[in-house]
Amino acid sequence: MSTESNNSAADRLPPRERREALAFLLPVALFLGGLVLVPVLGTLLDSLHRDVTFLPRSFIGLENYRALSADPAFWASVRFTLVFVLVSVPLQVVLGLLIALVLNEGFAGRALLRACVLIPWAVPAAVSGRVFELIYNYSYGAANWLIQLVHPGAGPVNWLGTELGALAAVVVADTYKTTPFAALLLLAGLSAIPEDLYGQARIDRATFLQRFFRITLPLLKPVLVVTLIFRTIDALRVFDVIFVLTGGGPGGATSALSIYGFRYYAAGDFGYASAVSVILFFISLTLVVGYASLGGFGREAR
Amino acid sequence: MKKLLFTLLLAALFLAGCDRQERAGLVFSVGGAPAELAAWQDLVDEFRQVSGIEVELLRQPAETGQQRQGLILALKAELPTPDVFLMDVGWIGLFAASGWLEPLGDFDRSPFFEEVVERVDVHEGELIALPVYMDGGLLYYRRDLLALAGRDAPPETWKELLEDAVSLLPAMRAENPNFYGFVWQGAQYEGLITSFLEFAGSEGGFVLRDGRILLDVPANRAALRLMRDLIRNRVSPPSVYTEMREEEVRLFFQRGDALFARNWPYAWRLHQQPDSPIARRIGIAAPPGPTAEERVSTLGGWHIGVSRFSQRKEEAMEFVRFVTSREAQRRMVLALGWNPGRRDLYDDPRVLEEMPNLAELKEVFEKARARPAIPYYPQVSEIAQRHLNAALAGRVTPEMALQQAEEEIAALMARYGM
Amino acid sequence: MSEERVQRILLYCGVTGAVLFCLAPFGYMVLTGLSLRPDFLRPEIPLTLTALNFGTVLTDPSLHFLAYLRNSLVVSAVSATVAVLVASLAAYALTRLEAPGKLLILFFILGVSLFPQVSLVSWLYKFMATLGWINTLQALVLPYVAWTLPLAVWILYSYFTQIPRDLDRAALVDGCTRLQVLFRVVLPVAAPGVFSTFLLAFIFAFNEFLFALMLTADYTARTVPVGIALFEGRHGELPWGEIMAAATVATLPVVLLTLVYQRRIVQGLTRGAVKG
């Protein structure tokens, strides 16, 4: 980001302009304040209440949080959510980096590849989730067909039937949808690296891997961190893919926090669901602050 | 600038135009159980001719959980529509306790299954719903194959069912490697509870004692072990606990890939369609039990109620009266092979002519087992579903699953001050 | 030299792999939509092609599929338009008016996208219920605008900073108001960026699921992702063929948009995210 003018300009701004600036910012403030901040604060407030459709609403302090901390299903959801982030985000970033590296090369069919990569990103996750649901179908899905094609005689696999299988299935479906996004961010970072740096390396007879680790990776670090942040935030609140694909099963094995909270909303228990949402938010916040300090942000990247 | 204004104007128009369209008449929300919609449409058309009241059918997802969620959203927001809706027996308690159901006033309850009405449809002395049709879990079996094994009667206990399946499976699998003994609802959803209650029999299920809901009782342990072993020993396909809901069970059985299936009465008509490979080769019976005396069928079924937020309550009441009338019920029975909510149709000669098995079903329904009519039943069910399904997946032992579910339910009740 | 060659081979393997992975599920979807039976992959079942599923999805009124599609298109188009307008006002103020605490505002706006949707949904629901807007299109448009604003502001901000300020100074000297400068000078010059932003906001809105699931109850406002997730066949069975036909039709608009405007989308995405 370029701060292209001197900061003292603000001080010299005539009051009329100042008012104008505020007027221009007002709509954004209204939208974000009214439709994001107020709801978040409201949810915080709700989480301190017993708010169930069939009981009178009452303030109960931290009771919902205490109940959550004693709820094994909640902890299982926390664990699953974190495992999901830890597995899917690195996978997506690495795959995305590979795709970005390929896209950054000049070769025939580059535009075609870019278009193909964009398609999974543009398709709603609920839709691709249903396609994967069919792919994993036990009796006639494509995954079992493929298994039997490669290895005739192998029995069909119940893909969504084990904890590990369901996790893998969800990760694959989510990776399908989100890798393109990571790839594009990284591609932008790659294309910003000056070509002559590589020219010099070539003269020095550096191998491809040397060039990658000595030039590309260090220069890509800020973008890499941004990508990680974006992907982590998104993976933490994963909902659509799981809702469609496993509904949280088998036996609650893939019940991400969003799903877990949503189930209580859907059953009419708004207080408890709000407490889950608040905790999810604080997990996001912690991770992002962690990343940001890791990436040395705050000192205005680039 | 002009362009912008134009766009803004367009946007405003869009928003104004999309404002809630005034609905022409009553809005009636129904689930998408098979072939239901066309029959409802006919009924609604007739109602218009009789009463002059328009009714719009609002189609809902067939899965009960998703349907409940949609209705809860509308009712908690106090929307005026839908005016009338069908409710699964499982959620009437929640809807009633939340104050969302308009009392139906004076209704002659005698033609209905009175025990069911008393237990499910009365809240604080007021009638708030009426059964439109009854459901009870049934065992579907392949008559032709059982005869092959020299059996002329369907099994009455789970042990017999297992024996029948084990004796027939090798021969059947030699022809059809995809053949299984028994398919039932085992996915993580409400249907799992309904089949579990039947596996557990009259001694198990949600045992209410001293204000607690007990699950970790011997009958339940045996039931859950049996359910898990059916999958483990490949008598039931592994997809039972991942994919099997009503329709998946029906399709599996209808393909000819199973000897027994647990399903609701609706499947009968569909199985008997001319293009079905198993048409005329099947029979139905009450579900087996741990012993022949402990057999139970889980009470299902859909009840009709009127929203407290409806602005057309009078018309809605008239519609309820029409739908639960003997004539309308008979038409639905004949059109859909339904089991009417009115008891007096089970002796109706014309109905019996079409559906000779109705007499037998009447007995099943009279003894059918209701799920607890508590307002937080949906949450209790969610907890139980999760743990039962985990046991089926082999993630925990049946004992652990039941224990944990019981503890979580106790914590939930404590949280609600129950 | 050999390294070059290995690299080429690896490159093309990677490309083929990526293209296959991206397109295969898509192809399976289309094929299932066109197939008479969804279990055509089983060896004993022949693949019979038919347009039946597409016909049903497009014509059966009880499936309401066209209503879902219309809702999705209207909601996405309106919310993307509003988001672009609101964001361009903000981006203009932030680049031209030296609003006090500019950086803070920018990071605050970005920080907003941190919140999980599930933590907003119950109060959005309460708002809309109070307004009597549950199950209306505006109940979706408003949150979608808020939801896409952070990205839109960031993209437009980066475009606007690159427009020479002499341009708008000249217009101001000519007696234009700030608003006129924005709409007559800045926006036209930044048109490609504005368009990219619109496309991205459109696609984000088109794909959103949780808000649509919680704030709509039936086809009067339900959008395509929810419609497909809860899709029921005409007779209540599990109609894979119809689901996949519907999915194919539903994704057509966004797929076409991405194919035609892929450069714009890529530019927009990379600006918004990386310039931070």
Side-chain angles (χ1 to χ4, degrees):
Chain A
M1 178 175 12
S2 46
T3 31
E4 80 286 355
S5 67
N6 46 343
N7 281 334
S8 58
D11 307 329
R12 281 189 271 109
L13 216 57
R16 198 180 65 89
E17 301 238 317
R18 203 175 256 255
R19 269 203 309 279
E20 252 175 343
L22 290 179
F24 274 56
L25 286 170
L26 188 66
V28 173
L30 281 181
F31 267 103
L32 296 185
L35 293 165
V36 180
L37 279 189
V38 172
V40 165
L41 292 176
T43 301
L44 195 65
L45 200 67
D46 279 352
S47 74
L48 304 176
H49 285 80
R50 183 167 72 189
D51 186 1
V52 194
T53 56
F54 54 88
L55 291 173
R57 185 181 155 103
S58 62
F59 179 82
I60 52 168
L62 295 175
E63 185 52 31
N64 281 326
Y65 293 95
R66 197 203 54 75
L68 268 182
S69 72
D71 182 350
F74 166 72
W75 289 110
S77 280
V78 173
R79 203 171 334 115
F80 171 77
T81 310
L82 293 179
V83 169
F84 177 77
V85 170
L86 282 176
V87 174
S88 69
V89 172
L91 181 71
Q92 288 155 6
V93 172
V94 169
L95 274 180
L97 185 57
L98 282 177
I99 292 177
L101 285 171
V102 169
L103 278 175
N104 202 34
E105 297 290 313
F107 69 97
R110 195 171 90 143
L112 176 80
L113 176 62
R114 195 171 53 194
C116 291
V117 166
L118 269 175
I119 286 179
W121 169 77
V123 171
V127 172
S128 47
R130 284 224 95 159
V131 177
F132 275 94
E133 190 190 354
L134 179 62
I135 289 176
Y136 296 131
N137 182 292
Y138 179 74
S139 305
Y140 45 79
N144 277 331
W145 171 76
L146 209 61
I147 286 277
Q148 269 151 347
L149 203 68
V150 179
H151 192 308
V157 179
N158 192 22
W159 297 97
L160 303 177
T162 60
E163 208 167 336
L164 197 67
L167 171 71
V170 170
V171 168
V172 168
D174 189 62
T175 302
Y176 175 75
K177 158 85 184 164
T178 54
T179 302
F181 181 73
L184 290 181
L185 295 191
L186 294 168
L187 176 63
L190 283 179
S191 52
I193 297 175
E195 191 52 39
D196 35 331
L197 282 180
Y198 291 109
Q200 186 56 45
R202 253 179 252 271
I203 294 167
D204 296 345
R205 293 178 171 262
T207 66
F208 172 74
L209 284 180
Q210 283 172 332
R211 291 199 302 270
F212 176 75
F213 282 108
R214 297 215 182 125
I215 304 173
T216 315
L217 213 50
L219 285 175
L220 205 58
K221 189 179 157 199
V223 183
L224 216 49
V225 172
V226 169
T227 313
L228 274 174
I229 292 181
F230 270 101
R231 282 305 317 135
T232 304
I233 298 174
D234 245 18
L236 275 172
R237 58 192 179 201
V238 60
F239 184 83
D240 342 12
V241 173
I242 296 181
F243 183 87
V244 171
L245 202 52
T246 65
T254 55
S255 159
L257 276 171
S258 288
I259 297 268
Y260 187 72
F262 173 79
R263 292 264 179 245
Y264 277 95
Y265 280 125
D269 190 340
F270 284 68
Y272 204 59
S274 296
V276 177
S277 308
V278 170
I279 288 176
L280 180 57
F281 166 66
F282 277 108
I283 295 178
S284 303
L285 194 66
T286 316
L287 282 185
V288 169
V289 170
Y291 274 134
S293 55
L294 197 84
F297 275 74
R299 60 169 164 78
E300 226 10 60
R302 283 146 45 83
Chain B
M1 194 64 193
K2 266 184 197 153
K3 237 192 224 160
L4 171 87
L5 275 179
F6 178 67
T7 332
L8 271 178
L9 196 71
L10 212 65
L13 273 180
F14 254 135
L15 287 179
C18 331
D19 209 349
R20 183 174 307 287
Q21 295 128 340
E22 262 315 305
R23 310 259 194 170
L26 284 177
V27 177
F28 174 44
S29 143
V30 284
E36 214 174 295
L37 212 72
W40 275 116
Q41 191 60 56
D42 288 347
L43 200 69
V44 155
D45 290 343
E46 196 189 303
F47 179 62
R48 183 185 43 225
Q49 278 166 15
V50 179
S51 66
I53 299 171
E54 291 278 346
V55 179
E56 183 196 338
L57 284 186
L58 190 60
R59 193 197 172 103
Q60 297 280 350
E63 200 199 305
T64 157
Q66 286 169 356
Q67 234 182 92
R68 183 191 71 221
Q69 174 205 321
L71 280 174
I72 288 185
L73 291 184
L75 290 167
K76 178 142 175 102
E78 310 191 355
L79 294 191
T81 62
D83 304 273
V84 191
F85 37 80
L86 289 188
M87 293 169 284
D88 189 330
V89 280
W91 3 295
I92 298 178
L94 166 65
F95 281 29
S98 305
W100 292 335
L101 297 176
E102 183 72 16
L104 296 178
D106 285 333
F107 246 90
D108 180 13
R109 304 176 194 179
S110 61
F112 298 91
F113 285 88
E114 269 169 289
E115 311 77 43
V116 174
V117 171
E118 283 305 320
R119 218 164 29 200
V120 181
D121 296 326
V122 176
H123 179 73
E124 293 177 350
E126 301 258 30
L127 186 71
I128 37 88
L130 276 173
V132 170
Y133 70 92
M134 307 286 294
D135 258 342
L138 294 175
L139 181 74
Y140 287 75
Y141 61 95
R142 288 282 298 273
R143 248 181 327 138
D144 54 338
L145 299 181
L146 277 190
L148 227 57
R151 299 288 305 259
D152 50 358
E156 294 198 338
T157 66
W158 296 115
K159 196 161 158 274
E160 285 171 28
L161 178 136
L162 202 59
E163 283 164 10
D164 288 346
V166 170
S167 73
L168 269 165
L169 272 180
M172 291 305 299
R173 284 224 172 109
E175 279 173 47
N176 175 3
N178 297 312
F179 193 86
Y180 283 91
F182 183 31
V183 283
W184 38 281
Q185 289 80 16
Q188 189 183 331
Y189 84 118
E190 183 64 28
L192 170 59
I193 303 293
T194 61
S195 26
F196 167 72
L197 292 179
E198 287 161 13
F199 276 107
S202 54
E203 297 295 308
F206 296 102
V207 180
L208 301 165
R209 195 177 296 154
D210 308 330
R212 270 174 61 95
I213 295 181
L214 301 186
L215 274 177
D216 191 20
V217 297
N220 287 348
R221 269 180 247 150
L224 196 51
R225 247 179 266 137
L226 170 69
M227 291 161 85
R228 183 200 56 188
D229 291 344
L230 283 174
I231 298 170
R232 225 179 234 182
N233 302 330
R234 303 186 70 76
V235 175
S236 298
S239 53
V240 156
Y241 67 92
T242 50
E243 291 168 6
M244 290 281 175
R245 296 179 168 78
E246 280 81 4
E247 273 299 287
E248 285 84 351
V249 167
R250 179 180 72 81
L251 293 171
F252 202 99
F253 189 63
Q254 194 155 331
R255 272 204 302 270
D257 283 351
L259 176 61
F260 297 110
R262 185 265 175 214
N263 216 332
W264 304 99
Y266 85 91
W268 176 258
R269 278 269 160 131
L270 297 164
H271 286 325
Q272 295 287 44
Q273 274 166 356
D275 61 345
S276 153
I278 57 165
R280 315 210 164 279
R281 298 174 174 190
I282 59 168
I284 49 173
T291 63
E293 293 73 41
E294 291 172 53
R295 302 166 72 177
V296 290
S297 165
T298 304
L299 178 69
W302 292 79
H303 296 225
I304 194 167
V306 174
S307 163
R308 194 162 68 81
F309 312 108
S310 162
Q311 285 157 2
R312 302 167 189 262
K313 288 190 186 118
E314 279 311 306
E315 290 151 303
M317 297 290 175
E318 203 172 327
F319 184 65
V320 170
R321 264 190 292 276
F322 176 76
V323 167
T324 54
S325 70
R326 191 179 164 119
E327 261 321 293
Q329 289 263 302
R330 172 157 51 201
R331 284 195 37 185
M332 291 307 263
V333 173
L334 295 178
L336 292 172
W338 260 10
N339 310 287
R342 291 176 74 102
R343 199 209 308 257
D344 55 357
L345 278 175
Y346 289 72
D347 316 316
D348 186 294
R350 255 189 64 209
V351 170
L352 278 179
E353 193 181 311
E354 276 286 310
M355 303 175 55
N357 53 29
L358 211 55
E360 197 181 326
L361 287 177
K362 184 180 172 191
E363 233 173 282
V364 173
F365 298 149
E366 270 171 346
K367 286 195 293 194
R369 176 133 200 227
R371 285 158 276 172
I374 45 178
Y376 48 93
Y377 175 73
Q379 284 95 318
V380 168
S381 167
E382 293 259 349
I383 293 172
Q385 286 165 33
R386 187 158 21 83
H387 288 287
L388 295 179
N389 191 255
L392 298 186
R395 293 182 56 212
V396 291
T397 63
E399 291 76 16
M400 282 247 295
L402 291 167
Q403 241 169 49
Q404 285 172 356
E406 195 178 293
E407 278 164 25
E408 270 183 50
I409 291 170
L412 179 89
M413 288 168 73
R415 205 150 60 69
Y416 292 152
M418 300 289 170
Chain C
M1 214 54 227
S2 88
E3 195 207 327
E4 283 278 293
R5 181 176 255 162
V6 171
Q7 229 175 301
R8 284 276 118 175
I9 293 173
L10 277 178
L11 180 70
Y12 279 101
C13 284
V15 171
T16 323
V19 169
L20 270 182
F21 181 65
C22 291
L23 292 188
F26 219 69
Y28 185 47
M29 169 178 96
V30 178
L31 198 59
T32 312
L34 284 171
S35 160
L36 192 61
R37 299 185 50 169
D39 46 1
F40 63 90
L41 285 176
R42 275 172 74 148
E44 74 274 14
I45 288 162
L47 172 62
T48 321
L49 293 183
T50 168
L52 208 65
N53 295 321
F54 282 88
T56 312
V57 162
L58 290 177
T59 55
D60 191 316
S62 83
L63 294 179
H64 300 302
F65 177 70
L66 289 178
Y68 298 151
L69 195 57
R70 189 207 62 203
N71 294 339
S72 268
L73 292 174
V74 171
V75 167
S76 310
V78 174
S79 55
T81 311
V82 178
V84 166
L85 288 176
V86 173
S88 54
L89 287 177
Y92 182 81
L94 291 172
T95 52
R96 297 299 196 274
L97 294 174
E98 294 303 327
K102 177 174 89 164
L103 262 182
L104 209 65
I105 297 175
L106 265 175
F107 273 98
F108 167 74
I109 291 177
L110 191 67
V112 159
S113 54
L114 249 176
F115 295 102
Q117 283 104 316
V118 77
S119 68
L120 309 181
V121 88
S122 80
W123 271 66
L124 287 177
Y125 176 79
K126 285 180 187 179
F127 279 159
M128 300 309 166
T130 316
L131 292 170
W133 279 2
I134 292 290
N135 205 23
T136 62
L137 297 183
Q138 59 268 36
L140 293 183
V141 167
L142 293 178
Y144 286 1
V145 171
W147 196 242
T148 45
L149 266 180
L151 185 74
V153 170
W154 275 79
I155 300 175
L156 288 177
Y157 177 82
S158 79
Y159 273 99
F160 284 7
T161 47
Q162 292 191 343
I163 298 170
R165 305 182 65 181
D166 296 340
L167 267 181
D168 35 317
R169 273 201 199 108
L172 278 177
V173 171
D174 288 350
C176 289
T177 65
R178 291 277 182 189
L179 215 54
Q180 284 169 326
V181 173
L182 171 60
F183 287 109
R184 289 202 186 147
V185 181
V186 179
L187 278 184
V189 178
V194 172
F195 188 56
S196 299
T197 315
F198 175 85
L199 283 176
L200 285 171
F202 185 93
I203 291 175
F204 269 88
F206 197 89
N207 287 356
E208 204 285 332
F209 183 70
L210 183 54
F211 291 162
L213 183 67
M214 277 290 270
L215 301 175
T216 66
D218 63 58
Y219 63 91
T220 39
R222 191 164 276 172
T223 56
V224 158
V226 181
I228 287 187
L230 306 180
F231 198 95
E232 296 288 342
R234 205 166 15 165
H235 302 294
E237 72 275 30
L238 192 75
W240 279 116
E242 287 168 19
I243 295 174
M244 291 302 141
T248 308
V249 179
T251 51
L252 221 55
V254 273
V255 168
L256 282 180
L257 274 184
T258 18
L259 289 187
V260 175
Y261 296 114
Q262 46 159 317
R263 286 182 151 278
R264 292 262 139 268
I265 290 171
V266 172
Q267 265 178 25
L269 262 185
T270 49
R271 288 252 186 170
V274 177
K275 292 286 165 170

